[in-house]
Amino acid sequence: MDRLPGSLLARRVADRVREEYAAGDADDDGRLLAALGAVAPDTDLVKLQSDLLAGQVAGFYDTETEELVVRADPAQDGLDPTAQTVVAHELQHALADQAFELPVDTFEDLTDGDAALAALALTEGDATLAQQQFTVVGLSIDEQLGLSADPDARAAQRRLADVPHYVARSLDFPYLAGLRFACARYLEGGWKAVDAAYDRLPETSAEILDPQRYPTAAVDVRGPGDPGGDWQRRRATTFGAADLLWLFEAPGDDTSQAIDGPREQALAWTGGELTLWTDEDATAVGLALTQTADGPLCDALVTWYERAFPAATDAPTRRDERMIREGDDQTAVITCVDEDVRMGIGPDLDTARALVR
């Protein structure tokens, strides 16, 4: 185990983010999230995440080198209570990696982003549960109470409050929602039940949000349409209930505009696919969702978009179109037929309509 001062650990984490977060992926993410109103256009996601994680990460376990690193003063004897809990978390990762081989390839699968998020939530929830159990049995009451006053932890929380809601929630979801999932498995059958989830990984963020749905695979979705012309498909991936939840909680990155019952609305999701298209500086996004019978996603998606882009104006619809909203930079179309809900976003109406076909 390596112990590094806070400044050196922060630098190492920031360097690692910059190395692993490819510029092309960051550009795709930025275009997509801007089209969904989750971040401002031209947001530098590499800088945002490297700066944020440099202050958030108190330790890590490297699956490739099997190295465990924790933030601590190498000159001090022993570890303070915060560092002890971090070691408990990271040791659980190391043990899980030895026993099951952590599904790193799944974490990095950009073609199935929702399954990647679910697998990550299992591993972080597992480690966070072990960390919480250690905190209760391994620290005194005074030490437990002191954890909340740790200046590094308080500073990390303040930094997180200034980050776009969607980005912040995507970072804390594996730990917080993952912990609830791991707890549900533990209550069902102890650590054996948690371990069993590594043999049958959760495949959707809906299973993490609602552990009673585990194991339930997503419904196959007919993917979004093709805008044709000079458009280039940059990404095709799954889009899950967690993605919807984070959008519904903060339309246009404004939590005061949250739709009613965002979690319940998002959990009507049963499957989803998203495609990102680019044509030089232009961006188009196609989203195809399925929902439970008589589910609320159609109305929820319309309400979310109207609140996320209040300056856009309504335009006449046709056939199965539930909404057309035209703005200066983009136009969106939403169609709803039974359990199928589709949305197209493009620089003009024809492009947006092509994506919902």
Side-chain angles (χ1 to χ4, degrees):
M1 180 181 73
D2 288 338
R3 302 196 299 178
L4 294 178
S7 59
L8 290 182
L9 178 63
R11 188 183 312 161
R12 185 164 173 182
V13 170
D15 289 344
R16 188 171 179 177
V17 172
R18 287 190 287 266
E19 289 172 5
E20 297 181 355
Y21 197 4
D25 292 337
D27 179 64
D28 290 348
D29 289 341
R31 286 172 176 262
L32 169 61
L33 294 179
L36 296 174
V39 302
D42 301 322
T43 296
D44 186 341
L45 289 177
V46 174
K47 185 178 188 307
L48 176 65
Q49 296 218 26
S50 61
D51 290 349
L52 177 64
L53 291 177
Q56 295 282 323
V57 175
F60 62 85
Y61 168 73
D62 190 317
T63 56
E64 293 183 1
T65 65
E66 299 183 348
E67 176 187 24
L68 194 159
V69 179
V70 63
R71 181 177 61 209
D73 185 348
Q76 284 186 344
D77 292 331
L79 297 172
D80 65 31
T82 297
Q84 291 178 50
T85 66
V86 172
V87 170
H89 182 106
E90 302 307 331
L91 279 176
Q92 184 70 2
H93 282 323
L95 291 171
D97 191 31
Q98 291 176 13
F100 313 113
E101 296 188 0
L102 293 183
V104 177
D105 291 343
T106 302
F107 299 163
E108 299 172 350
D109 186 1
L110 293 179
T111 66
D112 196 348
D114 198 47
L117 178 64
L120 182 60
L122 165 63
T123 61
E124 294 299 351
D126 169 26
T128 303
L129 176 57
Q131 179 181 3
Q132 295 297 320
Q133 290 190 344
F134 167 79
T135 299
V136 172
V137 301
L139 300 180
S140 68
I141 294 296
D142 287 343
E143 288 174 328
Q144 292 176 39
L145 294 174
L147 292 176
S148 61
D150 181 277
D152 290 324
R154 294 171 72 91
Q157 285 300 111
R158 289 194 297 270
R159 281 190 290 269
L160 196 62
D162 295 330
V163 174
H165 181 84
Y166 186 103
V167 176
R169 294 286 277 118
S170 69
L171 293 175
D172 69 33
F173 179 87
Y175 300 89
L176 301 183
L179 174 60
R180 289 192 292 271
F181 177 82
C183 285
R185 301 297 300 150
Y186 184 85
L187 291 173
E188 184 173 309
W191 283 110
K192 286 186 178 180
V194 179
D195 293 346
Y198 283 97
D199 291 326
R200 186 170 186 178
L201 292 173
E203 298 178 14
T204 72
S205 59
E207 295 167 275
I208 304 300
L209 288 168
D210 181 5
Q212 293 185 352
R213 290 173 67 157
Y214 172 81
T216 304
V219 173
D220 288 335
V221 178
R222 178 174 64 87
D226 186 332
D230 295 327
W231 288 98
Q232 300 294 314
R233 190 169 71 171
R234 290 283 293 269
R235 182 178 299 175
T237 189
T238 50
F239 193 89
D243 295 296
L244 287 173
L245 172 61
W246 306 332
L247 293 177
F248 291 168
E249 288 176 334
D253 193 32
D254 183 353
T255 55
S256 72
Q257 294 299 309
I259 71 171
D260 292 339
R263 184 179 183 276
E264 292 72 20
Q265 306 271 28
L267 281 174
W269 174 99
T270 57
E273 292 188 10
L274 177 144
T275 56
L276 171 70
W277 301 81
T278 62
D279 181 1
E280 297 183 351
D281 291 336
T283 300
V285 175
L287 178 62
L289 303 169
T290 61
Q291 62 175 336
T292 55
D294 300 319
L297 278 187
C298 186
D299 290 337
L301 207 63
V302 169
T303 301
W304 158 74
Y305 193 89
E306 290 175 345
R307 295 183 182 183
F309 299 94
T313 57
D314 290 323
T317 58
R318 64 188 188 189
R319 295 193 295 274
D320 299 320
E321 294 172 348
R322 179 66 67 87
M323 182 204 81
I324 295 177
R325 295 277 288 182
E326 295 181 322
D328 293 337
D329 300 317
Q330 67 181 38
T331 293
V333 176
I334 294 175
T335 63
C336 305
V337 180
D338 299 324
E339 283 76 52
D340 293 328
V341 180
R342 303 169 72 82
M343 180 173 71
I345 298 173
D348 53 70
L349 181 55
D350 288 342
T351 301
R353 274 181 166 151
L355 291 164
V356 298
R357 290 177 190 152

